[in-house]
Amino acid sequence: MRESHNMEKRVLIVCENNCERKALAKALSQLGHNTIDCHSNLNAIHSNAAFNYDIAFIDLPSIQSDEIESIETILQTAPDTEIIALTHHDYFTRPQNGNGNYILANPDSPINILYKPFNIPKLARVTQKALERRRLIHDNTILLQNLNSLIEKQKQTMAFPLTKEKSGCDTESVFIGESKAIKTIKNNIAYIASINANILIRGETGTGKDVVVHFIHQISKPYRKGAFVKINCPSIPESLFEAELFGHEPGAFTGADRRKLGLFEQANQGTIFLDEIAEVPSTIQAKLLQFLEQKKFFRVGGNKMIRVDARIVSATNAPLENLIEKRLFRADVYYRLNEYTIELPPLRERLEDIPYLLDTNS
């Protein structure tokens, strides 16, 4: 598979209308793409498909358009090419009855649709989406090739010893692998167990942030004897956020007929896990900062100071620094949460751990 992450993108345009074809070529050029061929000759696309363009724009001027054959040709002979169909008909994407089904009407179709008329921003979005899909397919293919290579190497040479020694805090039973990244995570967690600090865990979705937080809670003294309270920040409506975190007294607002302990108070002597911390509303961040600094707060509608001693662990897959620059996240809250950081790399960055995972699941 040819890939060009950092190279000029090769674009093929198939369009009968000369003005539309030139306008599209100019717009794509402004977006930084190289329109190598612009024509409407159906036979030409059959030969050009072999060149494996990054993107092929194909105009569908009518329901009976012969360019459907062009799309099918590219799908068969150049599957790496992303196809963007240009049309002002919704016929191609509506569910069809009888024998009228076109490939574009399939909900699982790999074809991108760009309806006419379109502007530069819309063209840029559709083009970027197509390129991101192409990059994802490429990365997955490379990952699979590397995985197969590692498995084969493991079978032939036994290059990866699969014995796992137990450490003092038993991190090996939870974090499997011998990559540099995994060893760093194990050392960090062993160290964290002995200190009292707020921890920020960073990593993509699926890298195991929940597993790390639970393990930190289990090995931390004295917090392991207390409750583990997970707070899924995006799931709490902004209007209820303060009451959920800090609790409320009777009569604090309509419907508050009795005292309610907040999640922070429930986690006293335990662990507070603020999952997806980037989603905490800006209106709540000042109150969160006060709690992080003093470990005390008032319930909503209350006048009694509540003190809580708990380990605070936050997790995010968002670049908090970018949110700080956009004034969507407070820098002082970030620094309070980030007294100690654990970075969790995705599996594609630690391929040498795959044989250990396979051995564990076998």
Side-chain angles (χ1 to χ4, degrees):
M1 176 182 288
R2 180 185 60 82
E3 182 58 19
S4 52
H5 290 198
N6 300 314
M7 299 169 59
E8 193 174 45
K9 301 301 182 289
R10 294 162 50 89
V11 179
L12 175 68
I13 301 176
V14 178
C15 180
E16 292 181 354
N17 187 298
N18 187 53
C19 292
E20 288 186 0
R21 189 170 68 246
K22 290 183 177 180
L24 180 58
K26 181 178 180 181
L28 289 168
S29 178
Q30 292 174 353
L31 293 174
H33 304 308
N34 180 18
T35 55
I36 296 176
D37 233 326
C38 300
H39 54 70
S40 59
N41 188 325
L42 189 59
N43 292 328
I45 194 171
H46 288 244
S47 59
N48 276 312
F51 288 95
N52 193 11
Y53 289 91
D54 295 280
I55 302 177
F57 284 87
I58 300 180
D59 186 38
L60 302 176
S62 68
I63 293 175
Q64 292 79 26
S65 174
D66 289 337
E67 275 69 18
I68 290 292
E69 182 182 344
S70 305
I71 291 176
E72 293 173 342
T73 298
I74 292 179
L75 289 174
Q76 294 172 5
T77 61
D80 297 342
T81 299
E82 284 293 314
I83 300 173
I84 299 179
L86 306 170
T87 181
H88 58 267
H89 296 286
D90 67 352
Y91 174 88
F92 298 104
T93 55
R94 292 202 313 265
Q96 306 296 321
N97 297 318
N99 297 321
N101 290 329
Y102 282 117
I103 190 170
L104 297 181
N106 187 335
D108 298 322
S109 172
I111 311 304
N112 306 277
I113 305 292
L114 181 58
Y115 287 104
K116 297 186 288 186
F118 54 83
N119 52 30
I120 295 292
K122 188 174 181 180
L123 174 64
R125 286 195 300 271
V126 173
T127 303
Q128 185 61 31
K129 179 181 177 182
L131 290 173
E132 287 176 355
R133 179 180 179 274
R134 189 176 191 277
R135 179 187 60 79
L136 180 61
I137 293 174
H138 172 270
D139 289 348
N140 287 343
T141 300
I142 295 299
L143 179 60
L144 182 60
Q145 291 173 350
N146 290 337
L147 172 59
N148 290 335
S149 175
L150 283 169
I151 292 174
E152 189 62 30
K153 185 176 181 181
Q154 168 69 15
K155 290 179 180 178
Q156 295 178 0
T157 67
M158 293 299 292
F160 299 96
L162 298 179
T163 58
K164 295 177 276 294
E165 299 293 334
K166 297 290 184 181
S167 71
C169 62
D170 199 23
T171 52
E172 279 77 5
S173 64
V174 179
F175 305 104
I176 300 169
E178 291 297 327
S179 65
K180 181 179 179 180
I182 285 294
K183 290 179 179 178
T184 299
I185 292 171
K186 292 175 183 178
N187 292 335
N188 287 342
I189 291 177
Y191 172 71
I192 286 170
S194 64
I195 65 172
N196 183 10
N198 296 334
I199 304 163
L200 178 64
I201 300 177
R202 312 180 70 145
E204 298 177 8
T205 300
T207 50
K209 294 187 286 293
D210 273 65
V211 174
V212 172
V213 180
H214 275 92
F215 193 72
I216 290 173
H217 172 69
Q218 292 169 8
I219 67 173
S220 295
K221 296 180 180 180
Y223 302 116
R224 64 186 179 190
K225 295 182 179 180
F228 177 89
V229 177
K230 178 179 178 179
I231 303 171
N232 187 18
C233 297
S235 68
I236 304 176
E238 183 173 352
S239 59
L240 300 179
F241 222 103
E242 183 178 1
E244 286 293 314
L245 295 187
F246 304 111
H248 62 74
E249 296 290 350
F253 49 83
T254 302
D257 55 354
R258 57 182 178 177
R259 172 180 293 172
K260 176 183 178 181
L261 301 186
L263 295 172
F264 283 177
E265 195 169 350
Q266 295 175 37
N268 190 32
Q269 301 300 314
T271 300
I272 298 169
F273 177 27
L274 295 164
D275 194 17
E276 299 189 53
I277 188 66
E279 300 297 328
V280 172
S282 57
T283 54
I284 302 298
Q285 291 178 24
K287 296 182 182 295
L288 176 60
L289 176 64
Q290 182 180 1
F291 173 71
L292 294 172
E293 291 175 337
Q294 304 176 9
K295 293 292 182 71
K296 56 187 180 180
F297 58 89
F298 293 99
R299 299 190 190 103
V300 177
N303 54 18
K304 179 183 177 181
M305 183 70 73
I306 308 297
R307 297 181 182 275
V308 167
D309 180 23
R311 182 188 287 281
I312 302 171
V313 184
S314 306
T316 182
N317 58 11
L320 292 178
E321 294 82 359
N322 293 349
L323 297 179
I324 291 172
E325 291 180 3
K326 297 176 182 178
R327 299 183 180 276
L328 297 176
F329 199 87
R330 293 179 58 132
D332 45 9
V333 174
Y334 168 73
Y335 290 120
R336 285 289 181 180
L337 292 171
N338 192 26
E339 293 177 348
Y340 201 93
T341 302
I342 296 178
E343 298 278 352
L344 300 182
L347 184 59
R348 65 176 179 273
E349 294 180 7
R350 51 185 187 91
L351 296 176
E352 59 268 44
D353 291 332
I354 291 175
Y356 294 94
L357 297 170
L358 293 175
D359 178 66
T360 302
N361 294 322
S362 62

